[in-house]
Amino acid sequence: MRRGRLTSSLAGTGTLVRFLLRRDRIKLPAWVGGLGLFVVYIGAALPQLAPTEDDLASVVPLFTQPVGRMFTGPAFGMDAPTYERFFGAGYAPYLYLLAAVMNILLITRHTRLEEQSGRAELVRANVTGRHAALTAALVVAVITNILAAGIVAALAIANGFAPTGSVLVGIGTGLTGMAFAGIAAVTVQLSEYSRAAAGMAGATLGTAFVLRALGDMAAVGGSALSWVSPLGWPAQAAPYVHDRWAPLLLPVALAVVATAAAYALQGRRDFGASLLPARPGAAWAKPWLGRPVGLAARLQRGAFLGWGAAILVLGAVDGAFTQAMLDAGDDMPAALQEMFGTQGLLDGWVAFLGWFVGVITAGYVVFAMQTLRTEEARGRADAVLATPVSRLRWAGSHVLVVAIGAALVLVVTGIGTGLAAAAVTGDWTLIGPVVAAHLNAAPAVLLVLGICGAAFGWAPRLMAPLGWTLVVLIGIVAFFADLLDLPAQLRQLSPMDHLARYPVESFALTPFVVIVASAVLTVVLGMVGFRRRGVNVV
């Protein structure tokens, strides 16, 4: 009887698995391929940064100092650095982080978002069991993580790295992904909204990162706090140094426990409902919510606060890394010095900080602009546009709010980064150049905003792919153009390539104004397109 009940609760799982794989035929290969590309890139870049493994010794302080360990990991094997140990200690932790993000998005997309949109109700109207959707999403996660683990391990071995350590990194990537798939499976039971569920899982990931960072900062090799974090477990396997297998049992245990908890919680809630009920809104709205700008500000508030806080923390941490950069500067390999600028390491580092925050802020802009698409697809835009509010005021309000938010992120992060850099160096005159370097990236951020606005007006389905592609292009050109010897035509596609690299170069007004004007023009073009097309039609 119990076996029959279990079978019926999983009815249709196989069909759903095939359906989800069909839907993700582009996204999942892109994620897995991206992880593999990262491994290939590191394997190619390290010999260019340091032509011989002996040259790596000059970069070791960046990894072994407490701030460096906060960014990377416990710095195993840095007493005798090799390319593969650099990969395992400095870059593999980012594979674990990306795998966690991939699985959080995968699970929330195929479970809570489906219930929220009503598509899951259509599926449940057929012969499908109560747990079929969650099980199918977890099966797809297992398939994806197995592929990710295999590709990461195979490409690491192809780079010439030791097989045992490469397999450890690959399996660590896959198991970390499964651990956070289990965590996401729990959070989707707690909230009625996919963004809130992903946010809770993301907050768990952020907490794991902070715990690992604090634990690894305490001592080389990590401390007891490192073992509390799921992101710290694969690092404690110490690939290419000690090659421990036992720490990888911990993400397996977390994935099993979290998945079991998710099934138990799902059995305690109604379809479409959540264990944490949504709070009812206020009976009366404040006057500013009656205006398009006020409504846009309210809808954009969560993305602004979340992204803004994360960027500020990241910027401040980068600023605190300034003294470590200066200490290692003279002995740093030539290729790395060139990345930060040859006119003086401090100026090059300040310019790098501004570019770095600019690229991430451009990512915030793409994310925030998708609110327009979401409001339109879910029909809430129709309710607003049925009032005397014009299309131009509705869409323009969102664009204006996102532009102001991006500018605030750049200014506040510039101040925070400058204060952190000044605190560790004792040079308080750094604050002004750091803030100016951040603002110098504003035209590129605004142009990304403008292109997203133009895409929304004429081809809304292309807004996200086009926006994210542009962000990736800007990042690659800004940080790796010389290293990868990119052709001039490709570099010129990035707006940052046309701006002066302040303070390494003097501020250039003409490209600054031209790019800002181009951003305004593309926004206007998008508004024209939005007036000409049908709402929720294209």
Side-chain angles (χ1 to χ4, degrees):
M1 181 66 181
R2 296 183 63 182
R3 183 176 180 182
R5 191 180 305 162
L6 175 63
T7 303
S8 64
S9 69
L10 298 178
T13 300
T15 303
L16 283 177
V17 169
R18 292 192 294 275
F19 176 60
L20 299 188
L21 290 175
R22 175 75 173 77
R23 286 185 60 192
D24 282 354
R25 62 190 182 281
I26 296 177
K27 287 182 180 177
L28 292 186
W31 268 104
V32 175
L35 294 175
L37 190 62
F38 182 77
V39 177
V40 173
Y41 167 73
I42 296 302
L46 283 177
Q48 294 192 45
L49 287 172
T52 67
E53 290 188 334
D54 292 338
D55 296 329
L56 291 172
S58 59
V59 196
V60 163
L62 297 178
F63 284 63
T64 55
Q65 291 190 9
V67 177
R69 296 199 300 274
M70 178 175 62
F71 271 116
T72 55
F76 284 112
M78 290 299 100
D79 52 337
T82 61
Y83 292 141
E84 60 186 18
R85 289 184 174 187
F86 252 62
F87 169 69
Y91 301 99
Y94 289 96
L95 290 172
Y96 312 144
L97 187 65
L98 290 172
V101 173
M102 176 180 70
N103 282 271
I104 289 173
L105 296 177
L106 187 156
I107 296 297
T108 55
R109 182 169 66 249
H110 289 310
T111 53
R112 177 52 67 180
L113 182 59
E114 292 298 288
E115 287 191 45
Q116 181 183 333
S117 65
R119 288 190 291 266
E121 190 172 3
L122 294 175
V123 173
R124 287 287 297 275
N126 294 283
V127 184
T128 54
R130 179 180 183 83
H131 298 308
L134 177 61
T135 305
L138 289 170
V139 169
V140 171
V142 170
I143 295 171
T144 305
N145 286 302
I146 289 175
L147 289 174
I151 287 178
V152 167
L155 292 176
I157 294 172
N159 282 337
F161 301 160
T164 303
S166 300
V167 172
L168 267 174
V169 172
I171 294 178
T173 302
L175 291 181
T176 303
M178 280 311 304
F180 280 91
I183 290 172
V186 171
T187 61
V188 296
Q189 315 303 326
L190 302 180
S191 174
E192 291 185 16
Y193 302 100
S194 61
R195 283 196 175 192
M200 284 189 280
T204 306
L205 177 60
T207 303
F209 184 88
V210 171
L211 290 173
R212 185 211 57 76
L214 294 175
D216 290 344
M217 286 177 70
V220 173
S223 63
L225 205 55
S226 304
W227 289 88
V228 178
S229 168
L231 287 178
W233 298 335
Q236 289 300 323
Y240 308 112
V241 184
H242 302 305
D243 290 340
R244 304 166 179 155
W245 292 92
L248 297 185
L249 295 176
L250 293 172
V252 174
L254 176 58
V256 171
V257 171
T259 301
Y263 280 109
L265 293 175
Q266 190 176 52
R268 294 176 178 273
R269 69 175 178 88
D270 293 329
F271 178 77
S274 63
L275 294 174
L276 299 178
R279 292 182 303 172
W284 300 96
K286 294 180 180 178
W288 58 268
L289 272 176
R291 301 176 182 276
V293 172
L295 178 60
R298 177 64 183 83
L299 292 173
Q300 297 284 353
R301 185 178 64 180
F304 169 73
L305 294 177
W307 278 78
I311 295 172
L312 174 60
V313 170
L314 198 56
V317 170
D318 284 342
F321 202 60
T322 303
Q323 189 59 52
M325 286 293 301
L326 296 178
D327 291 343
D330 292 338
D331 298 327
M332 199 176 290
L336 206 54
Q337 288 189 12
E338 190 173 349
M339 178 183 294
F340 297 127
T342 55
Q343 300 300 317
L345 188 59
L346 181 57
D347 286 349
W349 177 242
V350 170
F352 174 84
L353 293 177
W355 259 209
F356 182 67
V357 170
V359 172
I360 302 178
T361 306
Y364 153 69
V365 163
V366 177
F367 181 86
M369 284 295 288
Q370 292 180 62
T371 302
L372 278 168
R373 180 67 178 147
T374 303
E375 291 297 297
E376 184 183 1
R378 294 180 183 171
R380 292 194 287 261
D382 294 298
V384 177
L385 295 175
T387 67
V389 176
S390 67
R391 294 188 183 194
L392 181 62
R393 290 184 65 197
W394 176 73
S397 297
H398 279 273
V399 173
L400 177 64
V401 168
V402 175
I404 294 174
L408 282 174
V409 168
L410 290 173
V411 171
V412 174
T413 305
I415 294 173
T417 305
L419 287 172
V424 296
T425 60
D427 182 4
W428 295 96
T429 62
L430 273 177
I431 298 175
V434 171
V435 174
H438 283 64
L439 288 177
N440 191 44
V445 175
L446 292 178
L447 186 58
V448 172
L449 172 66
I451 291 175
C452 286
F456 175 74
W458 293 94
R461 289 182 179 178
L462 297 180
M463 182 172 67
L466 191 61
W468 288 118
T469 301
L470 186 56
V471 171
V472 172
L473 173 69
I474 291 175
I476 291 175
V477 172
F479 307 126
F480 307 114
D482 294 333
L483 197 63
L484 299 176
D485 195 22
L486 295 179
Q489 295 85 351
L490 184 59
R491 297 181 188 218
Q492 290 171 359
L493 293 177
S494 168
M496 276 190 182
D497 193 60
H498 301 278
L499 295 168
R501 200 176 180 87
Y502 185 84
V504 175
E505 302 170 347
S506 300
F507 173 72
L509 181 61
T510 301
F512 191 96
V513 173
V514 169
I515 295 175
V516 171
S518 301
V520 174
L521 184 63
T522 51
V523 168
V524 172
L525 183 65
M527 294 301 105
V528 172
F530 185 48
R531 291 187 64 182
R532 293 170 64 90
R533 72 173 173 87
V535 176
N536 207 19
V537 172
V538 178

